[in-house]
Every structure is written in C-alpha cells, then in structure tokens.
Amino acid sequence: MVVKSDTDYSTAQKWRFTWEAQSHTPTLRLLLFTTDATFNPSLQCHNLSVKLISPHSVLSVAWSDTDGAAPSSLSVPVPRVLVDGESPVIFRALSDHIEAKLCLLLPVNHPILSCLPDDPQSLLPGSSGPLKMQSDVESLSSRGEVDFYCRRCSFQLNRYPLRNFVEMPSANWREVADNWFGACCCSFGGISEKLVVRYANSYACSQGICLLSYTSVTLCKDDLLECNFPEVCEQKRCNSVADNLADEIVCKATITSGSTKESTSTCSHTGQGICSFNENSRFGLNENVKLSVNLRHEVSMNKPDNGDFSNSHPDSNGAEDVAIAPNCCVHETSFLGDENMEILGNKRSFLNGFLEDVFMARSSNLSKDIDWHEFKCPQCTSLLGAYPCCDGLAPVDGGVRLFKCSISTCVPIGGPGDMFSKYTLEKMFANQLVEFASDESSFRFVIRELNTKLPVLQIVLLNPDAWSCFGSCIGTGDEIPKLQLQPIIKVLFSDCITGAETQLRMIEEWATKNSAENIFMLTQQVEELVRLLMLAKDKYPPSCGSLQRLILSSLQR
C-alpha cells in the first residue's frame, strides 16, 4: 500500500516517532520529533493539522513554516489498535516535538481483544510478545533429548543429551510454606523437619539432571564439555549459616508422650537443647491424641530421586488417621523414624537461597562465604553464566548456572526449535525488576557488582505496564510498515560504572534516603544493560529525556 506525501524520503527519515499506550487507559499517544536540534515546532509549525487516514492506518501531519508558504507534511504509520474514528485527534506543538493523542475503543491489552477474529495485538512477523517467565520443564521434557549451545558461536556445551529436567524451587520456598515450618499450631513439626532435611541434603547437581529456574538452567560440572574444575576441598566446607543457627539448622524434636516432664528439642548439629515444651503448654501431649501422617513420594520412572520439595507432601487421604486435640497440634517422634537429621555443611547454604539464581541476586540471597565466578564459553569466551565457589574455584554444589538469554537449545541459533529464543537479557531484567518492585513495594533500585558490591547503576521504575513502538516517518511512495505495540517498562536511570568516588557516595546517600532495593549482577551483564538503556533513550525527544538528573528510557518486557 502506497501513500503520497509532499515530503521526500531523506526529510522523512529525519523525523522519528514513538507511540505509547498505558495498559489501563484507552489512549494512544504520539511523540513526533526531528534530529534537527535547531527546529522548534512551537515557533516554526504554523497552521499545524493532524488527521487520521483510516483506510491506510496513517496519521498525516502538515504545517507551513511561515504564513502563506507551501505546507510540509509527514506520514506516520499507526500501530494495530482499535482507534475510535469518531473522536477528534488532539495535538499540540512543543519546543522540540509534536504531541498527538488518539482515542481507542479499548485499552491495548483488554482481554476482549484476544477473542476478536482479527486480534489487533496478534503477533506480526518479527514481533515478540511479553516474556512469560514460567517453568520450561514440561516443554523440555517433551522433546526427549536436549542439547545446549552457546548463543554467540553455537558451541555445544553438554557432553551428552539431557533427558531429565527438574524445576528448581524458589528461593523463598520457606515463606510460601509457612504451615509446614512452625508459623501456626498446624505445622506438623516433625514432618516439616524431615522434609527440610531431605530437601536440603538431596539438593545437588547430579550428572544427567538439569535444574531450571526462571532465568537459568543449572548443569552438573561433569556434564559440560572442555571444562575442568578443581576438586572441592573437603576440609574447607562452606558454612554460610553458622551465624544464624535458629534459621538454618534444623532441630530434632524429642518428645515423650504422656510424660510429666518437660521435653527438650535437641539440635542435631550441636547436640544442645535449645527449646523446651511443657505438657501444660499448647504444644503439650495428650495420651488420647493420635496423629499419623503418611508421606508420599511420586518419582518418575525415568528420573532419579532428586529430592525435589514439590514431590514430597502429606497424603491428602490420611485425614482419617488424624485425631487433633481441640486446642493444639500433636507431634510424635514416629514421624522421623531413624532418618539422619544432619544437614550436610555445603547444603545448608541453599536453605536461604544462597545457591539459588544469580542472574539478579538480592541481599537476602547472598552469603559472605560464597563467591560467584563467571562461566564463559570454552570456544568464544562469551559470558554464559556463573557458579558458586568457596575457598577455591570448584562449584560448591557441583553445578554451573547458565543464563537462558545466553544459550540456545538448537542450531541454527534462534531457529524454530530454539526453546529459549524468547529470552533476552533485556526482557529477563525487566520481568525480574517488576517482580522485585511488587515484592518490596519499592520502585527505586541500585544495581551493584556481584562480587565487589559497588554501585554501578541507579534505576527508578516509572511504569511497569506500558506499550510502545517507534520508528521513522515514511516518505513519498514508501510502503506502510505494519507496526505492533510491544510491552515495555519505563524507567529512569543513571550509569555509574566508571563513576568517581563523589558520585558513588551520592548514590549511596540516595539509596539510604529512599530505601532503595539492592540488586547484584555480574559486570558484563550490567554493561550490556546500560548499552540497551542508552539506545532506548533515543526514542524520546530531549525535553522528555530526563527527570531529576536521571535519564528516561525503556526496556521490553
């Protein structure tokens, strides 16, 4: 489809446009600006008119430089949205750009749009939808055998095809299981201890097993090609949790039914009693009370028992064996049996998430006893992930985390069989940032280098749910491009990778004053993130490009 224009191609290319929409308002906003810094639309665009040419999905913008002069005009392609053709176009000329607003029949992400035969938000060739960060276990398992490749050079990373995929539990798994860990009187104390121990001790990276999280896959170091790691020193085990025994060492409950004496809960690590129960307390035993809960473990025939916490749960049919006293819960030592309640030294760290995801680590998931080393492609040396170390260079748990944005599941890279093609550093960061903001109710963040802990990026989340697209205006005879709004987050940022000491001090003061959340990332990741932010800032005219000494930019979700 061709649209005539009084502006030639070279002139049109100097004019850039950005369309924006909010997820909750039926308005589409246009920012139209030129690369000519001397042009002032508010002074030079006389008799400005903006009209929507509906059949062609084009917005025509015309003006004259002086009264009586021949008009200049631009054609701006309109993205695929439901525009209200009966509502007038609202526009104005500002110092460095022209702003226009179109009324929509519905917000761009309204659920009803997905039911239309011709969905305006249906994906076009080359466009990509929002990244839904969910488990890829099912899709990977359905393939049968999977190999991983470096996204940059196509080097195969694993020795043998992988067949077993397990979802790695979230770092806050203890928080979402309050009823199991003593948050109320129905916590089944003995069972919870048994599950915690089994979970902690069985968490390890075994050959042939791939652990998946939102942002990475964890492979056993022995499954990787051309990678030699030193052996872990047995005499220097990681003990990241020694300072917080109450939270990170599971205790063995020894309770004598019907006894008139106090029963002591003994710590299996130190052998010392740390808490006591009296029969008159709400945890006291009643000899007429019986509590029997059976544990069921569902293990797939083709997967070894990896001790996934999600595979261990109380039998839902065991209610008939439970007789609960009116005011308390009852715990018996029979729950524990003869199972060893000792948590191995290098496994305790995972109980607080110290060995969990490292793509974007938070303060609660870091330990002073664990260092994270970069893992690079053996062939092209590009950054692929990281692994936790303690007193050396060997992975503490034998596993290497590979970021999904750095690897592929097929060759050629990005082909139809690549199950990680939707993952990019930009989208992964944006999704995690929105999740952190939701968790902490904070929109101010300081990105710090993972090992040095120095601030490298200051960022403020302005809008976590916006839609946008951008491009150049079209000239005479140009084909009208089909535009698709992409989900984005809008942010303010300041790069301080090479900042002076005074700048770092100012950021620390800003972080303290505004209670900013700390996020820890590897240097190379932050450098790439800053590059993406700097490119995206050019989507906005200079007058909209900064606020409170921070630069306005955006990232795709």
Side-chain angles (χ1 to χ4, degrees):
M1 188 177 297
V2 176
V3 175
K4 293 183 178 180
S5 172
D6 295 331
T7 304
D8 60 26
Y9 177 78
S10 60
T11 302
Q13 285 293 299
K14 293 181 180 179
W15 283 85
R16 311 295 302 275
F17 67 83
T18 294
W19 290 102
E20 283 190 345
Q22 310 299 322
S23 60
H24 57 282
T25 57
T27 303
L28 184 64
R29 176 179 178 231
L30 169 69
L31 299 175
L32 183 63
F33 55 99
T34 178
T35 56
D36 183 2
T38 63
F39 190 82
N40 188 329
S42 64
L43 301 177
Q44 297 174 253
C45 290
H46 301 283
N47 304 318
L48 178 65
S49 66
V50 180
K51 298 179 181 178
L52 178 65
I53 306 177
S54 297
H56 305 302
S57 297
V58 167
L59 198 69
S60 176
V61 182
W63 71 88
S64 59
D65 293 339
T66 58
D67 292 334
S72 300
S73 66
L74 295 169
S75 294
V76 183
V78 179
R80 290 164 57 91
V81 291
L82 293 178
V83 179
D84 185 356
E86 297 183 358
S87 297
V89 179
I90 302 172
F91 59 90
R92 59 176 178 165
L94 301 172
S95 61
D96 62 351
H97 69 282
I98 298 171
E99 182 185 74
K101 293 182 179 180
L102 304 179
C103 291
L104 304 179
L105 296 175
L106 291 171
V108 293
N109 66 335
H110 195 283
I112 198 174
L113 295 177
S114 60
C115 302
L116 298 178
D118 185 16
D119 179 9
Q121 291 301 332
S122 61
L123 297 182
L124 298 169
S127 63
S128 59
L131 178 61
K132 299 183 183 300
M133 300 187 65
Q134 56 190 7
S135 172
D136 293 307
V137 171
E138 183 177 349
S139 54
L140 287 170
S141 299
S142 64
R143 180 173 290 189
E145 294 183 348
V146 177
D147 291 311
F148 294 118
Y149 304 87
C150 171
R151 189 174 289 193
R152 175 174 293 181
C153 69
S154 302
F155 177 78
Q156 182 173 327
L157 300 171
N158 51 303
R159 297 178 185 274
Y160 310 105
L162 296 169
R163 301 179 181 86
N164 297 319
F165 302 93
V166 179
E167 184 174 0
M168 181 180 288
S170 172
N172 66 342
W173 60 274
R174 190 188 287 267
E175 298 175 12
V176 300
D178 281 345
N179 286 344
W180 286 100
F181 301 104
C184 73
C185 64
C186 298
S187 61
F188 304 108
I191 294 179
S192 68
E193 294 171 7
K194 184 175 182 179
L195 292 178
V196 170
V197 173
R198 181 175 299 165
Y199 168 72
N201 284 339
S202 63
Y203 171 75
C205 300
S206 304
Q207 278 189 273
I209 302 293
C210 176
L211 302 175
L212 287 94
S213 69
Y214 281 162
T215 59
S216 63
V217 299
T218 301
L219 299 185
C220 176
K221 63 182 180 65
D222 297 324
D223 284 333
L224 295 171
L225 278 171
E226 299 184 17
C227 298
N228 297 317
F229 300 93
E231 295 298 327
V232 178
C233 179
E234 294 295 333
Q235 296 180 351
K236 296 184 177 181
R237 292 282 189 180
C238 285
N239 192 12
S240 306
V241 293
D243 297 331
N244 195 356
L245 295 177
D247 289 338
E248 300 171 13
I249 297 181
V250 178
C251 299
K252 182 189 298 181
T254 306
I255 304 177
T256 305
S257 177
S259 172
T260 58
K261 297 180 181 180
E262 290 188 349
S263 298
T264 302
S265 176
T266 305
C267 175
S268 63
H269 182 71
T270 62
Q272 299 175 356
I274 62 172
C275 56
S276 62
F277 302 96
N278 187 281
E279 67 177 39
N280 296 322
S281 70
R282 71 185 183 99
F283 292 103
L285 294 176
N286 187 321
E287 61 184 3
N288 296 322
V289 175
K290 175 184 178 182
L291 180 63
S292 173
V293 179
N294 298 320
L295 290 180
R296 214 167 36 187
H297 300 280
E298 300 174 358
V299 181
S300 175
M301 294 298 295
N302 63 341
K303 296 181 182 179
D305 184 5
N306 49 65
D308 188 358
F309 180 77
S310 61
N311 291 334
S312 303
H313 53 83
D315 193 333
S316 58
N317 298 323
E320 59 186 14
D321 296 331
V322 180
I324 302 178
N327 298 321
C328 69
C329 293
V330 181
H331 317 295
E332 293 189 357
T333 57
S334 59
F335 299 158
L336 304 178
D338 297 328
E339 182 170 341
N340 181 17
M341 295 299 294
E342 185 82 15
I343 296 182
L344 301 180
N346 65 337
K347 305 293 177 60
R348 291 198 301 268
S349 297
F350 188 69
L351 291 179
N352 274 359
F354 293 152
L355 302 185
E356 226 269 0
D357 216 336
V358 71
F359 175 74
M360 291 172 64
R362 303 162 85 166
S363 299
S364 58
N365 301 131
L366 293 180
S367 168
K368 59 182 176 60
D369 296 320
I370 294 178
D371 297 322
W372 287 91
H373 286 248
E374 295 181 348
F375 178 79
K376 298 184 178 181
C377 174
Q379 180 166 291
C380 69
T381 68
S382 62
L383 179 65
L384 298 181
Y387 55 91
C389 298
C390 182
D391 294 327
L393 298 178
V396 169
D397 61 348
V400 177
R401 283 75 174 155
L402 304 177
F403 303 134
K404 292 180 180 179
C405 61
S406 301
I407 60 176
S408 172
T409 60
C410 74
V411 286
I413 304 301
D418 187 358
M419 307 182 73
F420 292 157
S421 60
K422 61 184 178 180
Y423 289 94
T424 64
L425 184 143
E426 180 178 6
K427 288 188 174 184
M428 287 165 56
F429 177 86
N431 277 265
Q432 290 289 82
L433 194 72
V434 171
E435 181 179 334
F436 291 172
S438 177
D439 290 346
E440 301 297 332
S441 298
S442 173
F443 296 90
R444 296 176 176 86
F445 301 89
V446 174
I447 313 299
R448 298 177 181 272
E449 206 283 326
L450 184 62
N451 291 313
T452 66
K453 309 300 185 293
L454 292 176
V456 287
L457 182 64
Q458 183 181 4
I459 194 164
V460 178
L461 180 60
L462 290 180
N463 190 332
D465 196 8
W467 298 74
S468 178
C469 65
F470 68 99
S472 299
C473 293
I474 56 178
T476 304
D478 291 342
E479 189 80 14
I480 300 176
K482 295 181 178 180
L483 299 181
Q484 175 70 38
L485 290 175
Q486 300 289 338
I488 65 166
I489 63 171
K490 294 184 69 174
V491 299
L492 294 171
F493 79 97
S494 176
D495 168 23
C496 52
I497 293 179
T498 58
E501 184 177 347
T502 54
Q503 183 185 11
L504 299 180
R505 185 166 58 250
M506 290 176 59
I507 293 176
E508 296 288 5
E509 293 174 354
W510 176 85
T512 302
K513 179 180 178 181
N514 294 280
S515 300
E517 177 79 2
N518 290 317
I519 298 175
F520 302 85
M521 300 180 67
L522 297 172
T523 300
Q524 190 170 329
Q525 290 177 299
V526 179
E527 291 174 347
E528 175 63 15
L529 183 62
V530 170
R531 186 186 70 84
L532 294 171
L533 289 168
M534 293 298 292
L535 289 175
K537 76 179 181 62
D538 295 333
K539 300 176 184 177
Y540 304 97
S543 62
C544 301
S546 62
L547 180 66
Q548 297 179 353
R549 295 182 297 179
L550 298 176
I551 303 172
L552 177 66
S553 187
S554 63
L555 294 170
Q556 282 195 23
R557 279 193 287 119

mmCIF file of all heavy atoms in Angstrom, residues 252-278:
data_model
loop_
_atom_site.group_PDB
_atom_site.id
_atom_site.type_symbol
_atom_site.label_atom_id
_atom_site.label_comp_id
_atom_site.label_asym_id
_atom_site.label_seq_id
_atom_site.Cartn_x
_atom_site.Cartn_y
_atom_site.Cartn_z
ATOM 1 N N LYS A 252 16.051 -31.548 65.970
ATOM 2 C CA LYS A 252 15.368 -32.823 66.141
ATOM 3 C C LYS A 252 14.485 -32.737 67.396
ATOM 4 O O LYS A 252 14.973 -32.421 68.472
ATOM 5 C CB LYS A 252 16.396 -33.932 66.308
ATOM 6 C CG LYS A 252 15.743 -35.320 66.453
ATOM 7 C CD LYS A 252 16.778 -36.360 66.836
ATOM 8 C CE LYS A 252 17.814 -36.478 65.790
ATOM 9 N NZ LYS A 252 18.831 -37.489 66.115
ATOM 10 N N ALA A 253 13.205 -32.958 67.187
ATOM 11 C CA ALA A 253 12.270 -32.874 68.313
ATOM 12 C C ALA A 253 12.178 -34.223 69.008
ATOM 13 O O ALA A 253 11.894 -35.239 68.382
ATOM 14 C CB ALA A 253 10.895 -32.451 67.820
ATOM 15 N N THR A 254 12.462 -34.253 70.295
ATOM 16 C CA THR A 254 12.374 -35.484 71.077
ATOM 17 C C THR A 254 11.300 -35.292 72.121
ATOM 18 O O THR A 254 11.508 -34.565 73.085
ATOM 19 C CB THR A 254 13.710 -35.799 71.756
ATOM 20 O OG1 THR A 254 14.734 -35.824 70.759
ATOM 21 C CG2 THR A 254 13.649 -37.139 72.478
ATOM 22 N N ILE A 255 10.145 -35.870 71.871
ATOM 23 C CA ILE A 255 9.001 -35.647 72.740
ATOM 24 C C ILE A 255 8.514 -36.987 73.286
ATOM 25 O O ILE A 255 8.328 -37.929 72.529
ATOM 26 C CB ILE A 255 7.866 -34.944 71.984
ATOM 27 C CG1 ILE A 255 8.389 -33.630 71.381
ATOM 28 C CG2 ILE A 255 6.689 -34.690 72.876
ATOM 29 C CD1 ILE A 255 7.353 -32.921 70.555
ATOM 30 N N THR A 256 8.350 -37.082 74.554
ATOM 31 C CA THR A 256 7.904 -38.320 75.188
ATOM 32 C C THR A 256 6.425 -38.215 75.516
ATOM 33 O O THR A 256 6.024 -37.363 76.295
ATOM 34 C CB THR A 256 8.688 -38.589 76.469
ATOM 35 O OG1 THR A 256 10.076 -38.581 76.149
ATOM 36 C CG2 THR A 256 8.295 -39.935 77.064
ATOM 37 N N SER A 257 5.631 -39.041 74.884
ATOM 38 C CA SER A 257 4.178 -38.988 75.066
ATOM 39 C C SER A 257 3.800 -39.389 76.496
ATOM 40 O O SER A 257 4.287 -40.367 77.031
ATOM 41 C CB SER A 257 3.504 -39.928 74.064
ATOM 42 O OG SER A 257 2.109 -39.935 74.283
ATOM 43 N N GLY A 258 2.912 -38.567 77.067
ATOM 44 C CA GLY A 258 2.395 -38.880 78.395
ATOM 45 C C GLY A 258 3.322 -38.534 79.519
ATOM 46 O O GLY A 258 3.022 -38.772 80.677
ATOM 47 N N SER A 259 4.495 -37.979 79.242
ATOM 48 C CA SER A 259 5.460 -37.665 80.288
ATOM 49 C C SER A 259 5.019 -36.430 81.038
ATOM 50 O O SER A 259 4.467 -35.505 80.488
ATOM 51 C CB SER A 259 6.838 -37.455 79.665
ATOM 52 O OG SER A 259 7.734 -36.973 80.633
ATOM 53 N N THR A 260 5.323 -36.385 82.331
ATOM 54 C CA THR A 260 5.008 -35.215 83.134
ATOM 55 C C THR A 260 6.174 -34.253 83.171
ATOM 56 O O THR A 260 6.097 -33.218 83.808
ATOM 57 C CB THR A 260 4.654 -35.636 84.562
ATOM 58 O OG1 THR A 260 5.761 -36.367 85.108
ATOM 59 C CG2 THR A 260 3.418 -36.535 84.589
ATOM 60 N N LYS A 261 7.282 -34.633 82.483
ATOM 61 C CA LYS A 261 8.462 -33.790 82.491
ATOM 62 C C LYS A 261 8.494 -32.957 81.231
ATOM 63 O O LYS A 261 7.831 -33.238 80.241
ATOM 64 C CB LYS A 261 9.724 -34.647 82.570
ATOM 65 C CG LYS A 261 9.824 -35.468 83.850
ATOM 66 C CD LYS A 261 11.103 -36.279 83.843
ATOM 67 C CE LYS A 261 11.213 -37.119 85.103
ATOM 68 N NZ LYS A 261 12.460 -37.919 85.119
ATOM 69 N N GLU A 262 9.306 -31.917 81.254
ATOM 70 C CA GLU A 262 9.497 -31.109 80.067
ATOM 71 C C GLU A 262 10.278 -31.898 79.041
ATOM 72 O O GLU A 262 11.219 -32.610 79.366
ATOM 73 C CB GLU A 262 10.249 -29.814 80.396
ATOM 74 C CG GLU A 262 9.413 -28.847 81.216
ATOM 75 C CD GLU A 262 10.104 -27.518 81.355
ATOM 76 O OE1 GLU A 262 11.295 -27.454 80.997
ATOM 77 O OE2 GLU A 262 9.489 -26.563 81.811
ATOM 78 N N SER A 263 9.886 -31.756 77.751
ATOM 79 C CA SER A 263 10.583 -32.424 76.663
ATOM 80 C C SER A 263 11.444 -31.402 75.954
ATOM 81 O O SER A 263 11.022 -30.289 75.699
ATOM 82 C CB SER A 263 9.566 -33.016 75.662
ATOM 83 O OG SER A 263 8.766 -33.983 76.303
ATOM 84 N N THR A 264 12.651 -31.807 75.638
ATOM 85 C CA THR A 264 13.622 -30.881 75.063
ATOM 86 C C THR A 264 13.815 -31.145 73.586
ATOM 87 O O THR A 264 13.921 -32.284 73.158
ATOM 88 C CB THR A 264 14.968 -31.004 75.770
ATOM 89 O OG1 THR A 264 14.769 -30.742 77.143
ATOM 90 C CG2 THR A 264 15.989 -30.018 75.194
ATOM 91 N N SER A 265 13.849 -30.068 72.796
ATOM 92 C CA SER A 265 14.168 -30.175 71.367
ATOM 93 C C SER A 265 15.664 -29.993 71.208
ATOM 94 O O SER A 265 16.221 -28.993 71.616
ATOM 95 C CB SER A 265 13.425 -29.088 70.579
ATOM 96 O OG SER A 265 13.797 -29.136 69.229
ATOM 97 N N THR A 266 16.315 -31.030 70.669
ATOM 98 C CA THR A 266 17.765 -31.053 70.595
ATOM 99 C C THR A 266 18.242 -30.747 69.197
ATOM 100 O O THR A 266 17.746 -31.303 68.230
ATOM 101 C CB THR A 266 18.300 -32.427 71.010
ATOM 102 O OG1 THR A 266 17.787 -32.729 72.292
ATOM 103 C CG2 THR A 266 19.821 -32.430 71.022
ATOM 104 N N CYS A 267 19.196 -29.870 69.088
ATOM 105 C CA CYS A 267 19.757 -29.530 67.792
ATOM 106 C C CYS A 267 20.680 -30.659 67.335
ATOM 107 O O CYS A 267 21.583 -31.069 68.047
ATOM 108 C CB CYS A 267 20.530 -28.225 67.875
ATOM 109 S SG CYS A 267 21.365 -27.807 66.343
ATOM 110 N N SER A 268 20.432 -31.161 66.117
ATOM 111 C CA SER A 268 21.223 -32.278 65.619
ATOM 112 C C SER A 268 22.633 -31.868 65.254
ATOM 113 O O SER A 268 23.481 -32.704 65.012
ATOM 114 C CB SER A 268 20.533 -32.870 64.381
ATOM 115 O OG SER A 268 20.484 -31.916 63.354
ATOM 116 N N HIS A 269 22.884 -30.571 65.169
ATOM 117 C CA HIS A 269 24.214 -30.110 64.788
ATOM 118 C C HIS A 269 25.123 -29.950 66.011
ATOM 119 O O HIS A 269 26.291 -30.323 65.997
ATOM 120 C CB HIS A 269 24.101 -28.784 64.043
ATOM 121 C CG HIS A 269 25.411 -28.258 63.584
ATOM 122 N ND1 HIS A 269 26.124 -28.825 62.556
ATOM 123 C CD2 HIS A 269 26.164 -27.217 64.020
ATOM 124 C CE1 HIS A 269 27.243 -28.156 62.347
ATOM 125 N NE2 HIS A 269 27.293 -27.182 63.230
ATOM 126 N N THR A 270 24.544 -29.372 67.069
ATOM 127 C CA THR A 270 25.360 -29.106 68.258
ATOM 128 C C THR A 270 25.091 -30.085 69.386
ATOM 129 O O THR A 270 25.890 -30.213 70.313
ATOM 130 C CB THR A 270 25.092 -27.695 68.777
ATOM 131 O OG1 THR A 270 23.713 -27.605 69.155
ATOM 132 C CG2 THR A 270 25.389 -26.664 67.697
ATOM 133 N N GLY A 271 23.924 -30.749 69.331
ATOM 134 C CA GLY A 271 23.576 -31.665 70.409
ATOM 135 C C GLY A 271 23.061 -30.950 71.642
ATOM 136 O O GLY A 271 22.819 -31.548 72.669
ATOM 137 N N GLN A 272 22.855 -29.645 71.577
ATOM 138 C CA GLN A 272 22.406 -28.869 72.718
ATOM 139 C C GLN A 272 20.903 -28.645 72.628
ATOM 140 O O GLN A 272 20.358 -28.455 71.554
ATOM 141 C CB GLN A 272 23.119 -27.521 72.766
ATOM 142 C CG GLN A 272 24.628 -27.646 72.913
ATOM 143 C CD GLN A 272 25.297 -26.302 72.838
ATOM 144 O OE1 GLN A 272 24.656 -25.304 72.607
ATOM 145 N NE2 GLN A 272 26.590 -26.266 73.074
ATOM 146 N N GLY A 273 20.251 -28.656 73.772
ATOM 147 C CA GLY A 273 18.834 -28.345 73.795
ATOM 148 C C GLY A 273 18.630 -26.855 73.619
ATOM 149 O O GLY A 273 19.278 -26.055 74.281
ATOM 150 N N ILE A 274 17.723 -26.492 72.737
ATOM 151 C CA ILE A 274 17.513 -25.061 72.502
ATOM 152 C C ILE A 274 16.088 -24.629 72.784
ATOM 153 O O ILE A 274 15.784 -23.457 72.759
ATOM 154 C CB ILE A 274 17.865 -24.683 71.060
ATOM 155 C CG1 ILE A 274 16.962 -25.427 70.071
ATOM 156 C CG2 ILE A 274 19.313 -24.947 70.759
ATOM 157 C CD1 ILE A 274 17.142 -24.941 68.650
ATOM 158 N N CYS A 275 15.170 -25.556 72.985
ATOM 159 C CA CYS A 275 13.815 -25.157 73.322
ATOM 160 C C CYS A 275 13.157 -26.284 74.105
ATOM 161 O O CYS A 275 13.567 -27.430 74.031
ATOM 162 C CB CYS A 275 13.003 -24.831 72.069
ATOM 163 S SG CYS A 275 12.960 -26.186 70.877
ATOM 164 N N SER A 276 12.160 -25.978 74.887
ATOM 165 C CA SER A 276 11.505 -26.999 75.705
ATOM 166 C C SER A 276 9.998 -26.843 75.620
ATOM 167 O O SER A 276 9.479 -25.764 75.350
ATOM 168 C CB SER A 276 11.961 -26.871 77.170
ATOM 169 O OG SER A 276 11.598 -25.614 77.693
ATOM 170 N N PHE A 277 9.299 -27.941 75.858
ATOM 171 C CA PHE A 277 7.853 -27.942 75.816
ATOM 172 C C PHE A 277 7.333 -28.549 77.114
ATOM 173 O O PHE A 277 7.791 -29.600 77.557
ATOM 174 C CB PHE A 277 7.334 -28.768 74.632
ATOM 175 C CG PHE A 277 7.821 -28.291 73.312
ATOM 176 C CD1 PHE A 277 8.942 -28.872 72.711
ATOM 177 C CD2 PHE A 277 7.188 -27.244 72.663
ATOM 178 C CE1 PHE A 277 9.399 -28.428 71.501
ATOM 179 C CE2 PHE A 277 7.648 -26.793 71.439
ATOM 180 C CZ PHE A 277 8.749 -27.384 70.857
ATOM 181 N N ASN A 278 6.364 -27.917 77.697
ATOM 182 C CA ASN A 278 5.727 -28.424 78.905
ATOM 183 C C ASN A 278 4.378 -29.015 78.545
ATOM 184 O O ASN A 278 3.705 -28.528 77.635
ATOM 185 C CB ASN A 278 5.544 -27.292 79.914
ATOM 186 C CG ASN A 278 5.032 -27.803 81.250
ATOM 187 O OD1 ASN A 278 3.854 -28.077 81.410
ATOM 188 N ND2 ASN A 278 5.963 -27.926 82.199
#
